[in-house]
Amino acid sequence: MADPTAPFSRVKIRTGALVFCGDDVVLIRRDRPSGYHYTPPGGNVNTGEALIEALRRELAEELRLDLDDATSPQLCWVQDQMVTRPGPTPPPRKIHMIFRCHITPDVRARLATVEHDELPDGTSEAGIIEWVNYRRAEALPLFPLIGTAVSALTAPNGPAGNPFLPPITDDNYTWV
């Protein structure tokens, strides 16, 4: 039996979405004392929750996007994460499932511009919602480490290539 206090002994699944409007993709910028990073909207899948329902819930919470106002989500990439992080609980192993969908400019105009992420102590952290040209993704501090794959798309709806991205480890990422 695995030791539940050991690093990576728990597994979490996170769904995230690259929501495109033309050549722009929406990302959430998180400013921290040690720096900043971007992340696609999304979050952890709850126990017993279907992947697409988790994605639907997270997009509604973070962007105020009704998934019915977008194209059907397409699974593009899967990325395994085992990264040491600060804090009293052992870090989980996290499986990132990155989907892609497209919206119209009319839908984009109705979306949130700030996202409030609830923290364990009951407070919240503001994330700035930014639209960036997808070709710039490789140059951004983007987590999970999907920037190269996003920038390599031949078009916003182009082939995603190999769905299995290199894992995220302490060798290629430092927790921000």
Side-chain angles (χ1 to χ4, degrees), residues 30-113:
R30 305 240 181 248
D31 297 325
R32 304 269 164 73
S34 59
Y36 69 95
H37 71 276
Y38 290 87
T39 186
N44 292 329
V45 176
N46 294 326
T47 302
E49 187 176 33
L51 295 175
I52 296 299
E53 289 311 307
L55 186 66
R56 177 181 298 279
R57 175 181 50 76
E58 289 290 343
L59 292 176
E61 289 174 4
E62 295 184 357
L63 299 180
R64 292 196 312 252
L65 173 62
D66 183 337
L67 200 49
D68 292 338
D69 291 336
T71 60
S72 293
Q74 173 196 20
L75 180 61
C76 291
W77 300 294
V78 176
Q79 192 166 47
D80 191 3
Q81 170 195 325
M82 287 190 283
V83 176
T84 305
R85 65 175 191 200
T89 53
R93 179 178 191 172
K94 195 169 277 194
I95 307 299
H96 297 270
M97 303 190 74
I98 306 298
F99 293 83
R100 166 175 55 185
C101 62
H102 301 268
I103 61 171
T104 65
D106 289 343
V107 172
R108 175 179 170 170
R110 298 191 308 260
L111 298 183
T113 57

